[in-house]
Amino acid sequence: MRVAFLSSEAVPFAKTGGLGDVAGALPKALVGAGVDACLIHPLYDTTDRGLIEEKVFDNLEVDWLGGRRTVSVYLSYAAGAPAFLIDAPEYFARGKVYGFGDDHYRFAFFSRAALALLGRLGQAPDVLHGNDWPCGFAATWLWAGRQWGGFLGQTRTLMSIHNLAYQGLFDPGDLYRLGFRGGEESNVFMSNGAASSLKAGLMTSDAISTVSPRYSFEIQGHEQGYGLDWLMRQRRDRLVGITNGVDYDVWNPETDPHLPAHYSAEDLSGKLECKLELLRRFGLPEEPDRPVVASISRLVAQKGFDLIKHVAWEMLTAGAFFVSLGSGEHEYESFFQWLKDSAPNRVGIYRGFDEPLAHQIEAGADIFLMPSLYEPCGLNQMYSMRYGTVPVVRATGGLDDTVEEFDPEEGTGTGFKFGPYNAHALLDKVREALYWYTRKDAWGRIQSNGMRVDNSWGAAARKYVRLYHALFDL
Ligand code: ADP
Ligand code: GLC
């Protein structure tokens, strides 16, 4: 089974969120499951050049905008599977990954170059596995080209949805210039008057996966379908949910190089050192018995910050520290600044993206908040569990699939979950968690239950392998 895995971000080359973690780990896990997998990824100016092994092509020709464009391609083994990095500076040397008016051109070019690269490598993959809207173009081109048979005529396509809300919308007037002719080739893009690369990919791929089973059902409904629920229902026999894994080479408190001390489920003493160091890092008083409640996230409505805004003050009056790492919408950034100014001895905030600090917070915190409005999978609740930090989550998407409610009678469970999207429900659960935090035996049990859960990528990789094979029986 030969698989070409396309992603616009993958650790260690680029990361803006969970897709980076997944695309950095899954190809490696596929190789471990016996798949001949490679990653295809843009070479950004922010990518560390030290990760590059060699230049493999300096003259890859790509059909583009009615002409030809030549790019270089580099090879890296830093993600544990061969990664081909496409070097097109005018598109990818812009200081950040997304957020430009011509993003659809940038990632359409990436998709086009990926197909050209496969041709140049001379071995058609059995499966082209695309992720999110940037890769919708590749699946669509492959589908459009199939009518002529040819080199990729037998290659099957899988599109993975990591977040249905980001649809890669652009002006349909650009479709022709991008190389899509009229008729069906353009119709597949149309979504409420705009062109959507995600919709085109989901229309034309042989199958669709999402990153948790529950999310695969939720997106078939109006509330979470973001206007594409009809398509998800129409293709539900081609839609499956496979829960993300955790890369324990990167997220493991026994070995994590970012931590001041290491620890395990058998011996948690290092976690206390991590907590004290975290308090110092944020200039907070060293009060080890006071619980640290934490959040690490893009500051966007999806992540439930409207609820956090309502309960933050009560959390502090109930005796907790609160620590937040993230940047995003102004409304939430200014709220956290206000909270910090109002309670400087209880609140620590860092506005920005800081990978080492994310690890240090996972280790030093006691409780992790993820009251998401929706969550395709979510990784931080799983990282938290491994770091002995108890998650408080809303029962949605992958959060519901991966966190088990604590049952004090049985001593089972890994965290706390609430259902309705409202601040009372969150506050009740936070209070419940704060109560159990004071009962050291019970708390130790929840921590240990979470730390022993095995969310490694192996099981998920085997499910993908079965899915790849099933694409040939459709
Ligand atoms: P999403 O992809 O929707 O943002 P996930 O929970 O799947 O949510 O993954 C988020 C990833 O991004 C995690 O690895 C998390 O630690 C990381 N992350 C989010 N915000 C920051 C930040 N400000 N600094 C460092 N890492 C962050
Ligand atoms: C998206 C989702 C998140 C998921 C991640 C990786 O960014 O918002 O829930 O964990 O992709 O699949």
mmCIF file of all heavy atoms in Angstrom, residues 425-466:
data_model
loop_
_atom_site.group_PDB
_atom_site.id
_atom_site.type_symbol
_atom_site.label_atom_id
_atom_site.label_comp_id
_atom_site.label_asym_id
_atom_site.label_seq_id
_atom_site.Cartn_x
_atom_site.Cartn_y
_atom_site.Cartn_z
ATOM 1 N N ALA A 425 -23.440 25.059 33.529
ATOM 2 C CA ALA A 425 -23.022 23.659 33.416
ATOM 3 C C ALA A 425 -21.500 23.555 33.547
ATOM 4 O O ALA A 425 -20.977 22.658 34.225
ATOM 5 C CB ALA A 425 -23.503 23.080 32.093
ATOM 6 N N LEU A 426 -20.781 24.492 32.913
ATOM 7 C CA LEU A 426 -19.317 24.477 33.033
ATOM 8 C C LEU A 426 -18.900 24.746 34.481
ATOM 9 O O LEU A 426 -18.049 24.034 35.038
ATOM 10 C CB LEU A 426 -18.701 25.521 32.089
ATOM 11 C CG LEU A 426 -17.205 25.799 32.299
ATOM 12 C CD1 LEU A 426 -16.368 24.531 32.121
ATOM 13 C CD2 LEU A 426 -16.708 26.886 31.339
ATOM 14 N N LEU A 427 -19.526 25.759 35.085
ATOM 15 C CA LEU A 427 -19.133 26.122 36.446
ATOM 16 C C LEU A 427 -19.369 24.964 37.418
ATOM 17 O O LEU A 427 -18.526 24.674 38.275
ATOM 18 C CB LEU A 427 -19.897 27.376 36.890
ATOM 19 C CG LEU A 427 -19.446 27.975 38.223
ATOM 20 C CD1 LEU A 427 -17.958 28.312 38.209
ATOM 21 C CD2 LEU A 427 -20.262 29.237 38.541
ATOM 22 N N ASP A 428 -20.499 24.272 37.264
ATOM 23 C CA ASP A 428 -20.767 23.107 38.121
ATOM 24 C C ASP A 428 -19.638 22.094 38.017
ATOM 25 O O ASP A 428 -19.182 21.537 39.017
ATOM 26 C CB ASP A 428 -22.072 22.417 37.699
ATOM 27 C CG ASP A 428 -23.282 23.169 38.232
ATOM 28 O OD1 ASP A 428 -23.094 24.089 39.052
ATOM 29 O OD2 ASP A 428 -24.415 22.831 37.797
ATOM 30 N N LYS A 429 -19.200 21.846 36.787
ATOM 31 C CA LYS A 429 -18.159 20.821 36.591
ATOM 32 C C LYS A 429 -16.811 21.293 37.131
ATOM 33 O O LYS A 429 -16.043 20.505 37.691
ATOM 34 C CB LYS A 429 -18.020 20.469 35.112
ATOM 35 C CG LYS A 429 -19.020 19.459 34.647
ATOM 36 C CD LYS A 429 -18.875 18.115 35.365
ATOM 37 C CE LYS A 429 -20.187 17.362 35.296
ATOM 38 N NZ LYS A 429 -20.215 16.152 36.141
ATOM 39 N N VAL A 430 -16.538 22.587 36.961
ATOM 40 C CA VAL A 430 -15.279 23.112 37.496
ATOM 41 C C VAL A 430 -15.301 22.984 39.017
ATOM 42 O O VAL A 430 -14.317 22.548 39.633
ATOM 43 C CB VAL A 430 -15.060 24.581 37.067
ATOM 44 C CG1 VAL A 430 -13.895 25.195 37.824
ATOM 45 C CG2 VAL A 430 -14.811 24.662 35.570
ATOM 46 N N ARG A 431 -16.442 23.306 39.633
ATOM 47 C CA ARG A 431 -16.547 23.207 41.092
ATOM 48 C C ARG A 431 -16.382 21.757 41.547
ATOM 49 O O ARG A 431 -15.733 21.479 42.559
ATOM 50 C CB ARG A 431 -17.904 23.734 41.554
ATOM 51 C CG ARG A 431 -18.005 25.240 41.430
ATOM 52 C CD ARG A 431 -18.958 25.808 42.483
ATOM 53 N NE ARG A 431 -18.886 27.247 42.534
ATOM 54 C CZ ARG A 431 -19.870 28.064 42.150
ATOM 55 N NH1 ARG A 431 -21.009 27.580 41.690
ATOM 56 N NH2 ARG A 431 -19.710 29.367 42.236
ATOM 57 N N GLU A 432 -16.973 20.849 40.758
ATOM 58 C CA GLU A 432 -16.850 19.424 41.093
ATOM 59 C C GLU A 432 -15.375 19.010 41.033
ATOM 60 O O GLU A 432 -14.878 18.328 41.934
ATOM 61 C CB GLU A 432 -17.671 18.621 40.085
ATOM 62 C CG GLU A 432 -18.153 17.279 40.582
ATOM 63 C CD GLU A 432 -19.020 16.594 39.524
ATOM 64 O OE1 GLU A 432 -19.893 17.258 38.905
ATOM 65 O OE2 GLU A 432 -18.801 15.397 39.300
ATOM 66 N N ALA A 433 -14.702 19.450 39.983
ATOM 67 C CA ALA A 433 -13.280 19.107 39.849
ATOM 68 C C ALA A 433 -12.484 19.710 41.008
ATOM 69 O O ALA A 433 -11.618 19.038 41.598
ATOM 70 C CB ALA A 433 -12.742 19.610 38.507
ATOM 71 N N LEU A 434 -12.780 20.969 41.362
ATOM 72 C CA LEU A 434 -12.038 21.613 42.454
ATOM 73 C C LEU A 434 -12.291 20.874 43.776
ATOM 74 O O LEU A 434 -11.396 20.749 44.618
ATOM 75 C CB LEU A 434 -12.433 23.092 42.582
ATOM 76 C CG LEU A 434 -11.980 23.998 41.425
ATOM 77 C CD1 LEU A 434 -12.570 25.399 41.571
ATOM 78 C CD2 LEU A 434 -10.453 24.069 41.344
ATOM 79 N N TYR A 435 -13.504 20.375 43.943
ATOM 80 C CA TYR A 435 -13.793 19.602 45.158
ATOM 81 C C TYR A 435 -12.945 18.331 45.195
ATOM 82 O O TYR A 435 -12.269 18.049 46.196
ATOM 83 C CB TYR A 435 -15.287 19.247 45.234
ATOM 84 C CG TYR A 435 -15.559 18.186 46.268
ATOM 85 C CD1 TYR A 435 -15.525 18.514 47.637
ATOM 86 C CD2 TYR A 435 -15.784 16.864 45.895
ATOM 87 C CE1 TYR A 435 -15.723 17.528 48.594
ATOM 88 C CE2 TYR A 435 -15.980 15.885 46.850
ATOM 89 C CZ TYR A 435 -15.947 16.210 48.199
ATOM 90 O OH TYR A 435 -16.126 15.241 49.144
ATOM 91 N N TRP A 436 -12.948 17.569 44.099
ATOM 92 C CA TRP A 436 -12.198 16.307 44.105
ATOM 93 C C TRP A 436 -10.693 16.538 44.192
ATOM 94 O O TRP A 436 -9.952 15.681 44.679
ATOM 95 C CB TRP A 436 -12.558 15.444 42.883
ATOM 96 C CG TRP A 436 -13.933 14.861 43.013
ATOM 97 C CD1 TRP A 436 -15.037 15.183 42.295
ATOM 98 C CD2 TRP A 436 -14.354 13.859 43.967
ATOM 99 N NE1 TRP A 436 -16.122 14.461 42.724
ATOM 100 C CE2 TRP A 436 -15.734 13.640 43.748
ATOM 101 C CE3 TRP A 436 -13.712 13.141 44.979
ATOM 102 C CZ2 TRP A 436 -16.471 12.722 44.502
ATOM 103 C CZ3 TRP A 436 -14.444 12.229 45.726
ATOM 104 C CH2 TRP A 436 -15.816 12.036 45.482
ATOM 105 N N TYR A 437 -10.263 17.722 43.758
ATOM 106 C CA TYR A 437 -8.840 18.063 43.879
ATOM 107 C C TYR A 437 -8.402 18.049 45.352
ATOM 108 O O TYR A 437 -7.262 17.698 45.678
ATOM 109 C CB TYR A 437 -8.578 19.435 43.245
ATOM 110 C CG TYR A 437 -7.161 19.923 43.450
ATOM 111 C CD1 TYR A 437 -6.115 19.443 42.658
ATOM 112 C CD2 TYR A 437 -6.856 20.848 44.451
ATOM 113 C CE1 TYR A 437 -4.817 19.867 42.857
ATOM 114 C CE2 TYR A 437 -5.552 21.281 44.655
ATOM 115 C CZ TYR A 437 -4.540 20.793 43.858
ATOM 116 O OH TYR A 437 -3.243 21.211 44.062
ATOM 117 N N THR A 438 -9.337 18.406 46.253
ATOM 118 C CA THR A 438 -8.973 18.440 47.678
ATOM 119 C C THR A 438 -8.985 17.034 48.294
ATOM 120 O O THR A 438 -8.496 16.837 49.407
ATOM 121 C CB THR A 438 -9.954 19.319 48.492
ATOM 122 O OG1 THR A 438 -11.264 18.730 48.427
ATOM 123 C CG2 THR A 438 -10.002 20.740 47.941
ATOM 124 N N ARG A 439 -9.559 16.058 47.610
ATOM 125 C CA ARG A 439 -9.590 14.674 48.112
ATOM 126 C C ARG A 439 -8.457 13.911 47.432
ATOM 127 O O ARG A 439 -8.643 13.340 46.359
ATOM 128 C CB ARG A 439 -10.952 14.040 47.781
ATOM 129 C CG ARG A 439 -12.155 14.866 48.238
ATOM 130 C CD ARG A 439 -12.376 14.706 49.731
ATOM 131 N NE ARG A 439 -12.633 13.315 50.056
ATOM 132 C CZ ARG A 439 -13.835 12.781 50.186
ATOM 133 N NH1 ARG A 439 -14.911 13.531 50.045
ATOM 134 N NH2 ARG A 439 -13.986 11.511 50.472
ATOM 135 N N LYS A 440 -7.291 13.945 48.061
ATOM 136 C CA LYS A 440 -6.075 13.538 47.345
ATOM 137 C C LYS A 440 -6.128 12.104 46.799
ATOM 138 O O LYS A 440 -5.597 11.819 45.716
ATOM 139 C CB LYS A 440 -4.845 13.721 48.239
ATOM 140 C CG LYS A 440 -4.503 15.191 48.476
ATOM 141 C CD LYS A 440 -4.224 15.938 47.168
ATOM 142 C CE LYS A 440 -4.195 17.449 47.367
ATOM 143 N NZ LYS A 440 -4.420 18.242 46.163
ATOM 144 N N ASP A 441 -6.789 11.184 47.529
ATOM 145 C CA ASP A 441 -6.841 9.801 47.036
ATOM 146 C C ASP A 441 -7.621 9.712 45.733
ATOM 147 O O ASP A 441 -7.172 9.093 44.761
ATOM 148 C CB ASP A 441 -7.508 8.875 48.071
ATOM 149 C CG ASP A 441 -6.553 8.583 49.212
ATOM 150 O OD1 ASP A 441 -5.376 9.020 49.089
ATOM 151 O OD2 ASP A 441 -6.974 7.954 50.199
ATOM 152 N N ALA A 442 -8.806 10.331 45.764
ATOM 153 C CA ALA A 442 -9.647 10.286 44.566
ATOM 154 C C ALA A 442 -8.931 10.975 43.402
ATOM 155 O O ALA A 442 -8.913 10.486 42.266
ATOM 156 C CB ALA A 442 -10.986 10.964 44.834
ATOM 157 N N TRP A 443 -8.303 12.108 43.699
ATOM 158 C CA TRP A 443 -7.621 12.864 42.640
ATOM 159 C C TRP A 443 -6.501 12.027 42.021
ATOM 160 O O TRP A 443 -6.341 11.968 40.793
ATOM 161 C CB TRP A 443 -7.086 14.178 43.198
ATOM 162 C CG TRP A 443 -6.693 15.143 42.115
ATOM 163 C CD1 TRP A 443 -5.432 15.463 41.717
ATOM 164 C CD2 TRP A 443 -7.597 15.884 41.283
ATOM 165 N NE1 TRP A 443 -5.483 16.363 40.686
ATOM 166 C CE2 TRP A 443 -6.795 16.644 40.396
ATOM 167 C CE3 TRP A 443 -8.981 15.969 41.186
ATOM 168 C CZ2 TRP A 443 -7.348 17.489 39.429
ATOM 169 C CZ3 TRP A 443 -9.528 16.816 40.229
ATOM 170 C CH2 TRP A 443 -8.721 17.554 39.370
ATOM 171 N N GLY A 444 -5.735 11.374 42.895
ATOM 172 C CA GLY A 444 -4.651 10.515 42.421
ATOM 173 C C GLY A 444 -5.191 9.423 41.502
ATOM 174 O O GLY A 444 -4.557 9.045 40.514
ATOM 175 N N ARG A 445 -6.362 8.943 41.832
ATOM 176 C CA ARG A 445 -6.983 7.900 41.024
ATOM 177 C C ARG A 445 -7.327 8.424 39.621
ATOM 178 O O ARG A 445 -7.057 7.774 38.606
ATOM 179 C CB ARG A 445 -8.265 7.431 41.743
ATOM 180 C CG ARG A 445 -8.897 6.213 41.157
ATOM 181 C CD ARG A 445 -7.943 5.038 41.350
ATOM 182 N NE ARG A 445 -8.423 3.903 40.606
ATOM 183 C CZ ARG A 445 -9.065 2.870 41.163
ATOM 184 N NH1 ARG A 445 -9.254 2.817 42.450
ATOM 185 N NH2 ARG A 445 -9.476 1.875 40.402
ATOM 186 N N ILE A 446 -7.935 9.619 39.584
ATOM 187 C CA ILE A 446 -8.307 10.182 38.267
ATOM 188 C C ILE A 446 -7.041 10.417 37.434
ATOM 189 O O ILE A 446 -6.985 10.095 36.245
ATOM 190 C CB ILE A 446 -9.071 11.522 38.410
ATOM 191 C CG1 ILE A 446 -10.214 11.409 39.417
ATOM 192 C CG2 ILE A 446 -9.609 11.976 37.058
ATOM 193 C CD1 ILE A 446 -10.885 12.747 39.739
ATOM 194 N N GLN A 447 -6.026 10.971 38.103
ATOM 195 C CA GLN A 447 -4.767 11.233 37.375
ATOM 196 C C GLN A 447 -4.205 9.940 36.811
ATOM 197 O O GLN A 447 -3.835 9.859 35.634
ATOM 198 C CB GLN A 447 -3.733 11.847 38.321
ATOM 199 C CG GLN A 447 -4.012 13.286 38.697
ATOM 200 C CD GLN A 447 -2.925 13.810 39.626
ATOM 201 O OE1 GLN A 447 -2.695 13.255 40.699
ATOM 202 N NE2 GLN A 447 -2.255 14.867 39.223
ATOM 203 N N SER A 448 -4.164 8.933 37.672
ATOM 204 C CA SER A 448 -3.549 7.684 37.256
ATOM 205 C C SER A 448 -4.373 7.011 36.153
ATOM 206 O O SER A 448 -3.813 6.479 35.179
ATOM 207 C CB SER A 448 -3.379 6.812 38.504
ATOM 208 O OG SER A 448 -3.410 5.482 38.178
ATOM 209 N N ASN A 449 -5.704 7.068 36.268
ATOM 210 C CA ASN A 449 -6.542 6.513 35.189
ATOM 211 C C ASN A 449 -6.196 7.170 33.849
ATOM 212 O O ASN A 449 -6.048 6.501 32.828
ATOM 213 C CB ASN A 449 -8.034 6.750 35.473
ATOM 214 C CG ASN A 449 -8.555 5.929 36.639
ATOM 215 O OD1 ASN A 449 -7.906 4.987 37.081
ATOM 216 N ND2 ASN A 449 -9.728 6.291 37.145
ATOM 217 N N GLY A 450 -6.073 8.500 33.861
ATOM 218 C CA GLY A 450 -5.793 9.230 32.620
ATOM 219 C C GLY A 450 -4.407 8.924 32.080
ATOM 220 O O GLY A 450 -4.215 8.759 30.872
ATOM 221 N N MET A 451 -3.435 8.845 32.987
ATOM 222 C CA MET A 451 -2.046 8.640 32.552
ATOM 223 C C MET A 451 -1.848 7.260 31.936
ATOM 224 O O MET A 451 -0.941 7.052 31.137
ATOM 225 C CB MET A 451 -1.089 8.831 33.728
ATOM 226 C CG MET A 451 -1.062 10.273 34.218
ATOM 227 S SD MET A 451 0.046 10.547 35.617
ATOM 228 C CE MET A 451 1.605 10.806 34.764
ATOM 229 N N ARG A 452 -2.713 6.321 32.313
ATOM 230 C CA ARG A 452 -2.560 4.948 31.808
ATOM 231 C C ARG A 452 -3.342 4.672 30.523
ATOM 232 O O ARG A 452 -3.219 3.604 29.931
ATOM 233 C CB ARG A 452 -2.975 3.943 32.883
ATOM 234 C CG ARG A 452 -1.986 3.893 34.038
ATOM 235 C CD ARG A 452 -2.511 3.066 35.192
ATOM 236 N NE ARG A 452 -1.904 3.491 36.444
ATOM 237 C CZ ARG A 452 -0.718 3.090 36.883
ATOM 238 N NH1 ARG A 452 -0.023 2.229 36.176
ATOM 239 N NH2 ARG A 452 -0.237 3.544 38.015
ATOM 240 N N VAL A 453 -4.156 5.633 30.092
ATOM 241 C CA VAL A 453 -4.891 5.423 28.830
ATOM 242 C C VAL A 453 -3.886 5.390 27.684
ATOM 243 O O VAL A 453 -2.960 6.201 27.635
ATOM 244 C CB VAL A 453 -5.911 6.562 28.601
ATOM 245 C CG1 VAL A 453 -6.524 6.462 27.209
ATOM 246 C CG2 VAL A 453 -7.008 6.521 29.659
ATOM 247 N N ASP A 454 -4.072 4.442 26.773
ATOM 248 C CA ASP A 454 -3.159 4.350 25.635
ATOM 249 C C ASP A 454 -3.821 4.950 24.392
ATOM 250 O O ASP A 454 -4.667 4.322 23.764
ATOM 251 C CB ASP A 454 -2.791 2.884 25.373
ATOM 252 C CG ASP A 454 -1.834 2.748 24.194
ATOM 253 O OD1 ASP A 454 -1.398 3.790 23.647
ATOM 254 O OD2 ASP A 454 -1.527 1.604 23.812
ATOM 255 N N ASN A 455 -3.431 6.174 24.068
ATOM 256 C CA ASN A 455 -3.960 6.823 22.856
ATOM 257 C C ASN A 455 -2.895 6.873 21.761
ATOM 258 O O ASN A 455 -2.925 7.769 20.916
ATOM 259 C CB ASN A 455 -4.408 8.262 23.183
ATOM 260 C CG ASN A 455 -5.727 8.309 23.930
ATOM 261 O OD1 ASN A 455 -6.673 7.610 23.564
ATOM 262 N ND2 ASN A 455 -5.794 9.100 24.981
ATOM 263 N N SER A 456 -1.953 5.932 21.774
ATOM 264 C CA SER A 456 -0.876 6.021 20.780
ATOM 265 C C SER A 456 -1.451 5.835 19.367
ATOM 266 O O SER A 456 -2.536 5.294 19.192
ATOM 267 C CB SER A 456 0.210 4.996 21.068
ATOM 268 O OG SER A 456 -0.380 3.739 21.261
ATOM 269 N N TRP A 457 -0.672 6.270 18.383
ATOM 270 C CA TRP A 457 -1.163 6.309 17.009
ATOM 271 C C TRP A 457 -1.351 4.939 16.356
ATOM 272 O O TRP A 457 -2.021 4.821 15.326
ATOM 273 C CB TRP A 457 -0.211 7.154 16.147
ATOM 274 C CG TRP A 457 -0.620 8.593 16.094
ATOM 275 C CD1 TRP A 457 -0.020 9.640 16.739
ATOM 276 C CD2 TRP A 457 -1.720 9.152 15.359
ATOM 277 N NE1 TRP A 457 -0.698 10.801 16.459
ATOM 278 C CE2 TRP A 457 -1.739 10.539 15.617
ATOM 279 C CE3 TRP A 457 -2.701 8.612 14.526
ATOM 280 C CZ2 TRP A 457 -2.688 11.397 15.055
ATOM 281 C CZ3 TRP A 457 -3.651 9.465 13.975
ATOM 282 C CH2 TRP A 457 -3.632 10.829 14.240
ATOM 283 N N GLY A 458 -0.753 3.901 16.925
ATOM 284 C CA GLY A 458 -0.766 2.584 16.259
ATOM 285 C C GLY A 458 -2.168 2.122 15.893
ATOM 286 O O GLY A 458 -2.426 1.714 14.746
ATOM 287 N N ALA A 459 -3.098 2.205 16.853
ATOM 288 C CA ALA A 459 -4.446 1.688 16.605
ATOM 289 C C ALA A 459 -5.125 2.510 15.507
ATOM 290 O O ALA A 459 -5.776 1.957 14.606
ATOM 291 C CB ALA A 459 -5.268 1.752 17.893
ATOM 292 N N ALA A 460 -4.969 3.852 15.558
ATOM 293 C CA ALA A 460 -5.585 4.699 14.528
ATOM 294 C C ALA A 460 -4.970 4.391 13.162
ATOM 295 O O ALA A 460 -5.679 4.296 12.153
ATOM 296 C CB ALA A 460 -5.396 6.171 14.882
ATOM 297 N N ALA A 461 -3.644 4.199 13.130
ATOM 298 C CA ALA A 461 -2.978 3.931 11.846
ATOM 299 C C ALA A 461 -3.530 2.646 11.229
ATOM 300 O O ALA A 461 -3.782 2.585 10.018
ATOM 301 C CB ALA A 461 -1.467 3.830 12.048
ATOM 302 N N ARG A 462 -3.774 1.634 12.066
ATOM 303 C CA ARG A 462 -4.316 0.377 11.522
ATOM 304 C C ARG A 462 -5.718 0.593 10.947
ATOM 305 O O ARG A 462 -6.078 -0.002 9.935
ATOM 306 C CB ARG A 462 -4.309 -0.718 12.600
ATOM 307 C CG ARG A 462 -2.899 -1.257 12.876
ATOM 308 C CD ARG A 462 -2.916 -2.478 13.763
ATOM 309 N NE ARG A 462 -3.329 -2.184 15.121
ATOM 310 C CZ ARG A 462 -2.522 -1.684 16.073
ATOM 311 N NH1 ARG A 462 -1.256 -1.439 15.810
ATOM 312 N NH2 ARG A 462 -2.983 -1.447 17.282
ATOM 313 N N LYS A 463 -6.507 1.481 11.584
ATOM 314 C CA LYS A 463 -7.840 1.777 11.031
ATOM 315 C C LYS A 463 -7.724 2.479 9.676
ATOM 316 O O LYS A 463 -8.496 2.208 8.762
ATOM 317 C CB LYS A 463 -8.641 2.647 12.003
ATOM 318 C CG LYS A 463 -9.072 1.875 13.227
ATOM 319 C CD LYS A 463 -9.950 2.722 14.128
ATOM 320 C CE LYS A 463 -10.209 1.942 15.409
ATOM 321 N NZ LYS A 463 -10.633 2.754 16.519
ATOM 322 N N TYR A 464 -6.758 3.389 9.555
ATOM 323 C CA TYR A 464 -6.563 4.037 8.251
ATOM 324 C C TYR A 464 -6.157 3.015 7.193
ATOM 325 O O TYR A 464 -6.618 3.073 6.054
ATOM 326 C CB TYR A 464 -5.511 5.157 8.339
ATOM 327 C CG TYR A 464 -6.078 6.454 8.891
ATOM 328 C CD1 TYR A 464 -5.808 6.868 10.185
ATOM 329 C CD2 TYR A 464 -6.909 7.268 8.109
ATOM 330 C CE1 TYR A 464 -6.341 8.043 10.701
ATOM 331 C CE2 TYR A 464 -7.435 8.448 8.616
ATOM 332 C CZ TYR A 464 -7.157 8.836 9.906
ATOM 333 O OH TYR A 464 -7.690 10.005 10.414
ATOM 334 N N VAL A 465 -5.302 2.063 7.584
ATOM 335 C CA VAL A 465 -4.864 1.063 6.600
ATOM 336 C C VAL A 465 -6.064 0.259 6.098
ATOM 337 O O VAL A 465 -6.223 0.034 4.889
ATOM 338 C CB VAL A 465 -3.786 0.127 7.206
ATOM 339 C CG1 VAL A 465 -3.448 -0.986 6.222
ATOM 340 C CG2 VAL A 465 -2.535 0.922 7.565
ATOM 341 N N ARG A 466 -6.952 -0.115 7.042
ATOM 342 C CA ARG A 466 -8.151 -0.861 6.617
ATOM 343 C C ARG A 466 -9.004 -0.004 5.685
ATOM 344 O O ARG A 466 -9.536 -0.477 4.691
ATOM 345 C CB ARG A 466 -8.974 -1.282 7.844
ATOM 346 C CG ARG A 466 -8.418 -2.533 8.519
ATOM 347 C CD ARG A 466 -9.478 -3.230 9.366
ATOM 348 N NE ARG A 466 -9.846 -2.445 10.534
ATOM 349 C CZ ARG A 466 -9.140 -2.427 11.677
ATOM 350 N NH1 ARG A 466 -8.035 -3.153 11.787
ATOM 351 N NH2 ARG A 466 -9.542 -1.704 12.701
#
